[in-house]
Amino acid sequence: MTASSGFPDEFLWGAATSAYQIEGSPLADGAGESNWHRFSHTPGRTLNGDTGDVACDHYRRYAEDVELMTWLGLNAYRFSLAWGRILPEGRGPVNRKGLDFYARLIDRLLERGIQPLVTLYHWDLPAALDERGGWLNPEIVDWFADYAGVAFRAFGDRVPMWTTLNEPWVVCDAGYLHGVHAPGHRSLAEAAVAARHLLCAHGAAVRAYGGERTGRIGVVVNLAPKDPATGAPEDLAASVRADAYMNRQYLDPILLGRSPDLLPEMFGDAWTPFRPEDLKLIRQPIDFLGINYYKRGITKFDPSVPIERAIRVPDPRATHTELGWDVFPQGLTDILKWVTQRYGRIPLYVTENGAAFYDPPVADNGTIDDPLRVDYLHRHLHAVIDAIDEGADVRGYFAWSLFDNYEWSHGFSKRFGIVHVDYDTQKRTPKKSARFYADVIRANALTLS
Ligand code: FCB
């Protein structure tokens, strides 16, 4: 027997990408270098020294790529602007050619009936700002708001949905605490300062968008349910800390105007309390929340890890992606329900969800069979339906990612795409997961057999 589970009317069906991961041509047409450009060109920072110099060559192939989105039936596309294409020094003079690239992309999307969801910051900070301290310099709050203002003025009439930051937690944890992302620092004190400035910058950008809105604005966070590895009290406490650090550090100030009580103790001397005016700035009204979900976090006490004093351990019973992430669709339902319960019935979008699995080569008949990714998408889409049935106001889903692309310090070794990219020829080949996704979109429903 076959049953079918439908999605709400006007559900947004999208795919997501980010500038540095797909565009290539990072210095074309007057663009300024980004921190990721410098980081990836520093020996030893990325696997095989891979860089985003070419990536998916989307900067030059964007029109062909929009045709692919049309073929998939997408009605939305989430991508990010490279700050340094628009403001090569991060502030000051605007680079018209950089704006023009995004104008062409946006116009092409709109012609095809695909709604742009634009992320202002997906990790590629202008290097000129990094030289001035980047997220550690309090002036970045104004730099970011000014840059956001340029983008709003240029595209506000055509872009109905904006998000300020992508995953601020990763910016701090990977970039400033553990040094595995640009700018590659390892400092607890810096992680605390960068988090504060990211939050204030978010608020300042939302404020710059204004009260009389032509579209909607939100922020994208990555969330994961944190469960203790054992019943031991230290694991339980570790999972509560991990939850405060990853799930609530950004959302509580943005949506509740306060910071989790546990953070001062966790950050120790690095912590300084928020000033009331900061909290007021951070808590600007937002219209929706973007949630990126990949995995659960089974948590074990480990005193050697700063801040959380916890590590994530894999569930031995789960399927794991190529990055060792537990496949746990129930976690997506849980997270969407948790956000709704804790912060109220705010409109939610799953702004990223997907998996890197080993893919076989392109077959003679031109297909790529990726059953694990099909299963992953199927089960996570079902988890979205469950969350909607249980009261969450989920209005869209964006598969990560449209293409195989530059997976940060993993270089090109991990393929998340529903469309395969041959990095030698730049040929795009839809995987079976892309065909599966196109069928779901066409039906606006999941067919359960
Ligand atoms: C998210 C990032 C995205 C991509 C996926 C796999 O944390 O936002 O750029 O790297 O993970």
Side-chain angles (χ1 to χ4, degrees), residues 38-79:
R38 292 213 176 147
F39 187 77
S40 65
H41 281 267
T42 306
R45 290 303 205 173
T46 69
L47 188 74
N48 305 321
D50 286 348
T51 73
D53 285 1
V54 178
C56 303
D57 198 23
H58 172 76
Y59 190 74
R60 297 189 303 167
R61 293 170 192 261
Y62 73 92
E64 172 196 334
D65 292 338
V66 174
E67 293 314 306
L68 201 53
M69 298 178 213
T70 308
W71 172 84
L72 274 162
L74 303 187
N75 60 14
Y77 173 52
R78 173 173 179 244
F79 63 98

Side-chain angles (χ1 to χ4, degrees), residues 26 30-33 81-90 95 124-126 147:
E33 279 182 277
L81 307 180
W83 185 341
R85 287 201 194 280
I86 295 175
L87 297 167
E89 296 293 314
N95 177 29
D124 45 352
L125 187 72
Y147 153 58

Side-chain angles (χ1 to χ4, degrees), residues 6 8 24 29 74 132 135 165-166 186 194 245 257 279 289 311 359 367 392:
D29 297 330
L74 303 187
R132 294 172 166 266
W135 289 106
L165 308 171
N166 179 70
R186 285 166 180 262
Y245 178 51
L279 287 171
L289 196 62
I311 50 161
D359 291 327
T367 60

Side-chain angles (χ1 to χ4, degrees), residues 205-349:
V206 175
R207 193 172 56 188
Y209 193 53
E212 305 279 310
R213 295 178 182 174
T214 47
R216 294 183 298 145
I217 192 161
V219 64
V220 171
V221 289
N222 57 313
L223 303 176
K226 301 288 183 183
D227 302 309
T230 70
E234 62 267 26
D235 286 344
L236 193 57
S239 69
V240 176
R241 280 194 302 275
D243 180 60
Y245 178 51
M246 182 175 171
N247 296 329
R248 294 190 279 121
Q249 187 184 359
Y250 297 89
L251 287 185
D252 278 10
I254 290 172
L255 294 167
L256 304 177
R258 59 180 151 84
S259 199
D261 291 343
L262 276 176
L263 293 186
E265 186 263 324
M266 289 168 60
F267 278 88
D269 292 344
W271 185 259
T272 44
F274 282 93
R275 297 174 306 176
E277 60 268 35
D278 290 340
L279 287 171
K280 192 160 172 255
L281 173 64
I282 295 164
R283 196 190 189 182
Q284 299 294 312
I286 56 172
D287 304 303
F288 67 90
L289 196 62
I291 294 172
N292 294 351
Y293 176 77
Y294 288 96
K295 56 176 184 261
R296 85 194 292 193
I298 298 183
T299 308
K300 194 161 179 46
F301 175 56
D302 183 338
S304 71
V305 180
I307 304 176
E308 291 173 285
R309 303 201 300 283
I311 50 161
R312 184 177 58 84
V313 291
D315 176 353
R317 292 157 305 183
T319 307
H320 298 101
T321 73
E322 225 190 327
L323 279 158
W325 298 351
D326 293 353
V327 177
F328 187 58
Q330 175 67 41
L332 178 54
T333 310
D334 293 347
I335 277 296
L336 294 165
K337 284 168 57 186
W338 172 79
V339 165
T340 304
Q341 277 150 14
R342 183 169 179 83
Y343 302 107
R345 207 165 177 276
I346 181 168
L348 303 176
Y349 294 85

Side-chain angles (χ1 to χ4, degrees), residues 101-159:
F101 165 65
Y102 293 112
R104 288 194 297 275
L105 171 62
I106 290 167
D107 288 344
R108 183 60 70 116
L109 290 167
L110 293 173
E111 274 165 32
R112 295 289 186 270
I114 300 170
Q115 174 171 322
L117 194 180
V118 174
T119 304
L120 288 165
Y121 184 72
H122 199 128
W123 307 354
D124 45 352
L125 187 72
L129 299 185
D130 209 20
E131 284 168 8
R132 294 172 166 266
W135 289 106
L136 305 174
N137 186 330
E139 289 181 60
I140 199 161
V141 177
D142 292 334
W143 300 335
F144 186 63
D146 291 345
Y147 153 58
V150 171
F152 298 148
R153 281 190 294 281
F155 308 124
D157 57 338
R158 286 167 283 174
V159 170

Side-chain angles (χ1 to χ4, degrees), residues 17-18 21 78 122-123 166-167 170 181 220 222 292 294 323 325 352 354 400 405-408 416:
T17 63
S18 87
Q21 293 180 275
R78 173 173 179 244
H122 199 128
W123 307 354
N166 179 70
E167 301 186 357
V170 173
H181 280 187
V220 171
N222 57 313
N292 294 351
Y294 288 96
L323 279 158
W325 298 351
E352 286 180 29
W400 184 272
N405 59 40
Y406 181 71
E407 181 49 31
W408 308 111
F416 274 89

